[in-house]
Amino acid sequence: MSELHPVIRPRRLRQSPALRRLTAETRLHPAELILPMFVREGTSEPVPIGSMPGVQQHSIDSLKRAAVEAAEAGVGGVMLFGVPETRDAVGSAATDPEGILNVATRALVAEVGDALVVQTDLCLDEFTDHGHCGVLDDAGHVDNDATLERYRDMALAQAEAGSQLLGLSGMMDGQVGAVREALDAVGRHDVVLLAYAAKYASAFYGPFREAVDSQLSGDRRAYQQDPANRREGLREARLDLDEGADILMVKPALSYLDVLSDVASISDVPVWAYQVSGEYAMVEAAAAHGWIDRRRIVEETLIGARRAGADAIMTYWATEVAGWLR
Ligand code: PBG
């Protein structure tokens, strides 16, 4: 009898849009979306990024316009990446107050700094002529502790430019502690540190390399994490919490929802996910062929990250999705 006529009927709550809306466990909100943006030195027009349709390397002017658009859509923040004209072994442009990232930060803070949180990527890969996230030792390996010195200087330059939140994405050991100490030493207790706690060496960053004209020829497996490792994600997260991170990030999103869930379960600070360039490119490419329902897939990937434990998500669709949510 009960096998033919169940007493417990989960479908009851799914029968109408109104009931589904009322009983949704997770939702998206514009304030929980962060837009990553690229700004290119020496261009007066935005330059399209082939592998990321709809995303540009901005000029300062188009950057400001796009940030205003994001702010008007209610997006919670923008994360800025610089594309310099010249690069060298130590990434000098990263610490130069007149370097493109610092110039653009000042422009953005003046334009939208009250409406959303202006954030900057703190990493050397866009600025080095070898494309690695740090400086190299004599053997050509990324030198962890020498890189920390560069990150400290970069943090001071970015804070001076007005960045409200620094995204530490380089995966050097001790980077959060080093940057925190450097900021504290000059009394900049106000600057928020986002630790890319668990960042995996991922092929999903492919289109980003085009986006920043990356000079990298090898890979980042000697500092970013092995995709095989789940426990290690927790270990990295705990270290960053101990070093004083204000927010933790897991990256990429789609293939690392288990790690995101783990980190969210132990964290007492906000946990963010980064839906990276390759995740964006895959969906755009399949949608362009008419193979998938673009809007539903975008919403599903974002709600999936929220459900797994992300409080906020960095996504190249931030402004568009915020518009849908109005
Ligand atoms: C490092 C950095 C990268 C991304 C964000 N910060 C590149 C990398 O680690 O290789 C990738 C983001 C994306 O793919 O959307 N500065």
Side-chain angles (χ1 to χ4, degrees):
M1 175 74 176
S2 67
E3 265 170 36
L4 288 177
H5 300 289
V7 172
I8 308 294
R9 293 178 183 273
R11 286 187 55 194
R12 199 171 286 129
L13 297 181
R14 300 176 197 149
Q15 63 184 297
S16 70
L19 267 170
R20 292 196 291 272
R21 187 163 70 106
L22 184 64
T23 58
E25 296 175 32
T26 316
R27 353 185 155 255
L28 295 174
H29 189 280
E32 295 158 353
L33 302 174
I34 299 129
L35 178 68
M37 306 180 88
F38 304 100
V39 60
R40 181 184 177 128
E41 189 171 28
T43 184
S44 53
E45 292 299 320
V47 180
I49 300 163
S51 52
M52 301 179 74
V55 180
Q56 288 91 29
Q57 295 177 333
H58 282 290
S59 66
I60 297 275
D61 280 347
S62 72
L63 181 80
K64 287 197 279 191
R65 282 195 301 274
V68 167
E69 214 187 306
E72 284 172 357
V75 164
V78 293
M79 171 64 77
L80 204 48
F81 295 90
V83 186
E85 262 178 333
T86 53
R87 300 175 168 84
D88 61 22
V90 297
S92 301
T95 44
D96 180 351
E98 295 311 312
I100 181 63
L101 183 55
N102 298 321
V103 168
T105 300
R106 287 198 292 274
L108 268 197
V109 170
E111 193 80 13
V112 292
D114 295 331
L116 46 65
V117 181
V118 175
Q119 322 177 15
T120 46
D121 185 53
L122 199 163
C123 191
L124 283 172
D125 63 315
E126 294 98 357
F127 301 97
T128 52
D129 54 12
H130 44 73
H132 276 294
C133 294
V135 293
L136 307 182
D137 63 18
D138 293 340
H141 300 130
V142 174
D143 183 333
N144 193 90
D145 298 9
T147 299
L148 294 184
E149 291 305 318
R150 294 293 294 136
Y151 286 2
R152 293 162 69 104
D153 290 347
M154 207 174 166
L156 297 177
Q158 294 187 351
E160 189 63 28
S163 179
Q164 297 158 345
L165 180 154
L166 312 184
L168 283 79
S169 65
M171 288 305 281
M172 295 301 122
D173 292 339
Q175 62 185 11
V176 174
V179 163
R180 177 64 79 202
E181 185 190 80
L183 291 167
D184 281 350
V186 296
R188 291 303 303 269
H189 309 295
D190 57 320
V191 181
V192 178
L193 297 187
L194 163 67
Y196 284 54
K199 177 172 177 180
Y200 287 85
S202 172
F204 282 101
Y205 308 147
F208 178 94
R209 304 275 160 89
E210 181 195 346
V212 298
D213 297 347
S214 174
Q215 306 299 304
L216 187 69
S217 53
D219 60 55
R220 308 198 196 287
R221 289 178 220 228
Y223 40 106
Q224 297 178 351
Q225 289 172 247
D226 185 336
N229 295 350
R230 177 172 180 170
R231 262 197 317 262
E232 192 186 19
L234 273 179
R235 181 173 195 226
E236 288 279 0
R238 287 199 179 95
L239 284 170
D240 287 340
L241 284 173
D242 288 347
E243 290 177 30
D246 299 297
I247 302 172
L248 300 179
M249 174 84 92
V250 174
K251 169 187 184 186
L254 198 55
S255 303
Y256 299 88
L257 295 180
D258 55 339
V259 179
L260 180 57
S261 169
D262 288 352
V263 171
S265 73
I266 64 130
S267 179
D268 48 14
V269 301
V271 176
W272 294 0
Y274 194 153
Q275 181 176 67
V276 301
S277 57
E279 300 179 60
Y280 176 90
M282 281 198 310
V283 173
E284 290 294 339
H289 279 87
W291 292 340
I292 55 171
D293 180 331
R294 179 177 179 275
R295 178 166 169 166
R296 284 193 58 194
I297 295 256
V298 169
E299 288 173 341
E300 193 172 327
T301 57
L302 292 171
I303 207 74
R306 291 271 295 118
R307 191 192 64 237
D311 299 296
I313 306 166
M314 285 180 53
T315 172
Y316 298 96
W317 288 303
T319 303
E320 184 179 3
V321 172
W324 298 342
L325 295 170
R326 302 216 115 184

